[in-house]
Amino acid sequence: MLGGNMKQNRKTRGIQDAVSRIYARYLYLLGFRTSVVTDATGLSESQARNLKKELKEEGIVVKDQPGPGSMADGLVNSRSGYLQASILMNIYRSLNPNAERNLDLESVIEAYSIYLKEIGAIFRNSIDYDLSAEGFERFTIQQAYSLAAALRSNDIDYSASMRECPDCKTYFYFTTRQTVVDDCPFCNWRVRSISSGTANQNAALP
Ligand SMILES: [Zn+2]
């Protein structure tokens, strides 16, 4: 009887290991760093790195991401980054209402896929040159993760929050250490679009 239970436990553990490995492969394929993969799966760093090696041996492209990774404040230090982070984290927070307390990896993945689908359309008709068509750089999924991690973080120097704009009532992403101006990226974008639109019209006049 006891032997039967042990056998059952071993079998269950084998299945759990297999599930962890499959999930880890999935996370690597999406583009996450090893630290995210080990956190999410409970695999050790060497187990995760071995899996990554296996993927490469299978001819699958897995990006190496050495170094400490992006800090949220660095990602919002351009107008485009500031606006994109605000859009992406609004999507993320609608999927994970507890974003200030928990980092939900599945919500990050889903928010990122919605962001990728929508961001081109959002900027496509922008008159603002920096943001039009292909003129901006999209975030990677790992960068999306860093933004979400800062939102949850209690570390004063590296934390981020969603602030409500008093004018347009939209929430925007704000990090405590960012050097870019702290006014609302959505209002800023609208003002620039309107003024550059006017400038273009004037330029077209004889
Ligand atoms: Zn605003």
Side-chain angles (χ1 to χ4, degrees):
M1 204 53 209
L2 187 67
N5 274 340
M6 275 172 66
K7 215 172 182 177
Q8 195 58 42
N9 286 342
R10 227 176 9 246
K11 213 172 183 176
T12 315
R13 206 167 57 227
I15 293 167
Q16 281 167 350
D17 283 352
V19 169
S20 295
R21 290 168 55 85
I22 290 165
Y23 192 48
R25 285 172 68 102
Y26 165 70
L27 295 176
Y28 270 132
L29 292 178
L30 286 176
F32 286 109
R33 298 168 66 93
T34 297
S35 57
V36 177
V37 173
T38 52
D39 270 4
T41 60
L43 293 177
S44 72
E45 199 177 315
S46 63
Q47 285 175 315
R49 289 197 189 285
N50 281 338
L51 264 182
K52 193 175 178 181
K53 223 171 94 194
E54 279 174 33
L55 284 169
K56 286 182 175 173
E57 282 162 7
E58 290 167 28
I60 297 163
V61 179
V62 189
K63 213 168 57 174
D64 281 316
Q65 305 185 61
S70 324
M71 286 295 184
D73 51 333
L75 297 173
V76 298
N77 274 343
S78 68
R79 278 192 320 110
S80 157
Y82 192 25
L83 184 56
Q84 289 189 71
S86 296
I87 293 169
L88 178 51
M89 287 298 104
N90 268 304
I91 303 170
Y92 168 64
R93 216 170 53 145
S94 74
L95 298 169
N96 176 21
N98 281 327
E100 273 88 358
R101 267 159 289 144
N102 308 310
L103 200 164
D104 182 47
L105 189 56
E106 286 304 316
S107 297
V108 172
I109 294 168
E110 198 179 340
Y112 184 72
S113 112
I114 296 171
Y115 152 84
L116 273 192
K117 274 189 212 130
E118 301 299 332
I119 199 73
I122 291 171
F123 290 162
R124 190 166 301 137
N125 298 319
S126 176
I127 313 162
D128 187 334
Y129 181 76
D130 291 349
L131 299 174
S132 62
E134 300 306 307
F136 65 95
E137 207 174 311
R138 288 159 178 79
F139 287 131
T140 65
I141 199 166
Q142 180 60 45
Q143 289 171 328
Y145 180 90
S146 300
L147 293 171
L151 205 53
R152 179 218 41 187
S153 171
N154 294 317
D155 181 333
I156 290 166
D157 279 348
Y158 293 103
S159 66
S161 57
M162 296 300 281
R163 288 192 180 175
E164 189 182 11
C165 168
D167 296 324
C168 71
K169 307 290 176 204
T170 310
Y171 281 86
F172 61 95
Y173 187 81
F174 187 81
T175 66
T176 42
R177 302 205 324 164
Q178 73 188 50
T179 54
V180 83
V181 282
D182 64 351
D183 53 345
C184 166
F186 296 106
C187 286
N188 190 285
W189 180 36
R190 270 188 286 270
V191 168
R192 285 181 62 99
S193 292
I194 290 163
S195 58
S196 62
T198 314
N200 287 344
Q201 271 170 19
N202 288 341
L205 288 173

